[in-house]
Amino acid sequence: MAYGYRIGTLPITTVQRLPSYLRVVRELQRNGREVVSSARLGETLRLEAILVRKDFGYLGITGRPKSGYRISELITAIERCLNWQRVSEAVLAGAGHLGMALLGYQGFAHHGINIAAAFDVDPERVGVSVKGVEIQPLDRLEPEIAERGIRLAILTTSPEAAQAVAERLVAAGIEGIWNFTGATLLLPAQVIVQDQDIASGLAVLSAKLNARAAIPASLETP
Amino acid sequence: MAYGYRIGTLPITTVQRLPSYLRVVRELQRNGREVVSSARLGETLRLEAILVRKDFGYLGITGRPKSGYRISELITAIERCLNWQRVSEAVLAGAGHLGMALLGYQGFAHHGINIAAAFDVDPERVGVSVKGVEIQPLDRLEPEIAERGIRLAILTTSPEAAQAVAERLVAAGIEGIWNFTGATLLLPAQVIVQDQDIASGLAVLSAKLNARAAIPASLETP
DNA sequence: GACTGTGAATCTATTCACAGCG
DNA sequence: CGCTGTGAATAGATTCACAGTC
């Protein structure tokens, strides 16, 4: 139940790899390539070729023996699966350091989203513009979401404020929350919450460094 | 081989959950609690209680029937596993939006690291100070790492610059790289690279929203 | 010959069932 | 009882072996 089921027919792990595939094949397309083999993709992304083929199989993409997979077909299928063909609008709640960084990030258009409005409680931040988006007071959250019909929110408040702001987002009609706060949100089941916890990545790195320091090099991977 | 093995005896998934456990039990400790049950922890973190017990079992922590796990023991064991008891120093390479956000983040001390020096190629950024850390030109990277004996680097350059900067970090003595660039780094096997790819989180969220929109609500989870 | 694609095998993670203990 | 902890069962992801196709 708590376990990460599938998304439609796709394993979650496959979906997680889609952006990497997309980045590489877009790059190949810019360089004029039209086909690519699973072996080549695996080499650039440090993945087993068979894993790449399985992933594409789940997507329903079929390649051709001898040549490989058609790049344009890959791009279309991945973008459709992620709904990244058209850019959808999102709101950003919490314009601290991280919120500002995400606002300033150029690449979201390639990832299917555009931050249409941003909000913060701090009066000092309200009125500041980043990339043409002006930070608004939190009272404007509900009307902006309603008027623009926005479904997706990026939550970058403090962990303390996260739950209360998330509830307002949901009440205003938001269906999906990309949660950077580290807080565990308690929301109705139909709201999709994706936790983006950078601490877990750091934990893995720390534990690996720690484990390696503790083991003499001669005993590694026996 | 490409599969995410274990770190020492711990499953990677267990290590990924450690920061969440740590955050909650520290909070409980501040509130004066001394013991906590797996059921209670699972409820606050939305995890099955049995999963919490399994994780603590891997850590070698043993609880007591009726009362639960001793909070001070949990904190000690988790911090030791991650080597977060003492704060280690790190360098940050690339002071764009994201780099600046990480520099400004208050909470790293609770995660065992302190950004001791930061670097960027852009002369406009050099000289700027954030939280007492002055951004230095890239030439200073090697001497700073050597003088301070730093082992850990946070890589927040552009994807294009990532490989070249990573090679310089490794040549200067860095043993672990926390890679935020999205680029796939090709480095000697003994260097530990942890990819922090936010696009994969967004992909999962996008695919879930997309899948739900495609399926009539009445057919969900049959 | 150079690739894809499928069904079985392996390996990992999670969950279940229930014994054990205060 | 109320909670931990273990060994077995299930579910999931990756890899293997090899047949199939251009």
Side-chain angles (χ1 to χ4, degrees):
Chain A
M1 218 292 200
Y3 194 83
Y5 260 141
R6 313 212 143 190
I7 305 172
T9 63
L10 301 180
I12 287 201
T13 49
T14 296
V15 174
Q16 289 173 329
R17 285 186 289 267
L18 296 184
S20 304
Y21 295 136
L22 190 56
R23 177 173 53 82
V24 174
V25 296
R26 277 173 174 164
E27 170 76 22
L28 288 168
Q29 190 179 55
R30 269 197 302 278
N31 297 345
R33 298 284 307 263
E34 294 197 342
V35 289
V36 65
S37 70
S38 61
R40 201 190 139 112
L41 265 175
E43 199 181 0
T44 49
L45 289 170
R46 317 256 92 183
L47 298 171
E48 300 287 335
I50 177 66
L51 189 53
V52 176
R53 293 204 296 277
K54 264 274 147 75
D55 284 341
F56 291 172
Y58 285 124
L59 287 173
I61 302 167
T62 170
R64 290 186 191 191
K66 180 95 174 170
S67 54
Y69 296 87
R70 192 165 291 277
I71 286 175
S72 60
E73 205 182 326
L74 285 172
I75 294 177
T76 306
I78 295 172
E79 286 185 343
R80 187 174 42 213
C81 169
L82 300 174
N83 198 30
W84 285 5
Q85 322 102 301
R86 299 242 159 266
V87 173
S88 7
E89 301 206 313
V91 295
L92 183 139
H97 286 287
L98 180 59
M100 288 291 202
L102 295 177
L103 261 178
Y105 175 54
Q106 315 270 356
F108 277 134
H110 299 293
H111 297 72
I113 61 174
N114 171 52
I115 301 176
F119 307 92
D120 202 287
V121 270
D122 186 343
E124 287 203 12
R125 289 176 186 154
V126 170
V128 176
S129 276
V130 180
K131 303 254 162 212
V133 178
E134 187 183 324
I135 296 165
Q136 302 180 61
L138 219 59
D139 337 351
R140 292 288 307 152
L141 195 141
E142 289 84 357
E144 287 280 358
I145 290 171
E147 281 164 29
R148 297 169 184 260
I150 292 177
R151 301 168 58 206
L152 185 69
I154 304 172
L155 189 62
T156 47
T157 63
S158 69
E160 294 74 29
Q163 178 66 34
V165 175
E167 286 171 12
R168 287 181 62 174
L169 289 167
V170 171
I174 289 294
E175 296 166 35
I177 296 179
W178 195 10
N179 175 28
F180 283 81
T181 67
T184 304
L185 304 177
L186 287 151
L187 297 170
Q190 80 271 13
V191 180
I192 296 166
V193 176
Q194 178 68 27
D195 291 317
Q196 189 75 45
D197 185 5
I198 72 163
S200 68
L202 179 57
V204 173
L205 181 56
S206 301
K208 283 182 180 168
L209 275 170
N210 201 21
R212 209 189 45 178
I215 299 165
S218 59
L219 289 178
E220 276 181 11
T221 56
Chain B
M1 219 295 199
Y3 192 84
Y5 259 142
R6 315 211 143 190
I7 304 173
T9 63
L10 302 180
I12 287 201
T13 49
T14 295
V15 174
Q16 289 174 329
R17 284 185 288 266
L18 295 184
S20 304
Y21 294 137
L22 191 55
R23 177 173 52 82
V24 174
V25 296
R26 278 173 174 164
E27 171 76 21
L28 288 168
Q29 193 179 53
R30 268 197 302 279
N31 297 346
R33 298 285 306 261
E34 294 196 343
V35 289
V36 65
S37 69
S38 60
R40 201 190 138 111
L41 266 175
E43 198 182 359
T44 49
L45 289 170
R46 318 255 93 184
L47 298 171
E48 299 286 336
I50 177 65
L51 189 53
V52 176
R53 293 204 297 276
K54 264 273 148 74
D55 283 341
F56 291 171
Y58 285 125
L59 286 172
I61 302 166
T62 171
R64 290 188 191 188
K66 180 95 175 169
S67 56
Y69 296 88
R70 192 164 289 276
I71 285 174
S72 61
E73 205 181 327
L74 285 172
I75 293 177
T76 306
I78 295 172
E79 286 186 344
R80 187 174 42 214
C81 169
L82 300 175
N83 198 31
W84 285 5
Q85 322 103 300
R86 299 243 160 266
V87 173
S88 5
E89 301 206 312
V91 295
L92 182 139
H97 286 288
L98 180 60
M100 288 290 203
L102 295 177
L103 261 178
Y105 176 54
Q106 316 269 358
F108 277 135
H110 299 293
H111 296 72
I113 62 174
N114 171 52
I115 301 175
F119 307 92
D120 202 289
V121 272
D122 186 342
E124 286 203 13
R125 290 175 186 156
V126 170
V128 176
S129 276
V130 181
K131 303 255 159 208
V133 179
E134 188 185 323
I135 297 164
Q136 302 180 60
L138 219 58
D139 337 350
R140 292 289 309 153
L141 193 141
E142 288 84 357
E144 287 280 0
I145 291 171
E147 281 165 27
R148 296 170 185 260
I150 292 176
R151 301 167 60 206
L152 185 68
I154 303 172
L155 189 63
T156 46
T157 63
S158 68
E160 294 75 28
Q163 178 66 33
V165 174
E167 286 171 13
R168 287 181 61 174
L169 289 167
V170 171
I174 288 295
E175 297 166 36
I177 296 178
W178 195 11
N179 175 29
F180 284 80
T181 67
T184 305
L185 303 177
L186 287 151
L187 297 170
Q190 81 270 11
V191 180
I192 296 166
V193 177
Q194 179 68 27
D195 291 318
Q196 189 75 44
D197 186 4
I198 71 164
S200 68
L202 179 57
V204 173
L205 180 57
S206 302
K208 282 182 181 169
L209 275 170
N210 201 21
R212 208 191 44 178
I215 299 165
S218 58
L219 290 177
E220 274 181 12
T221 56

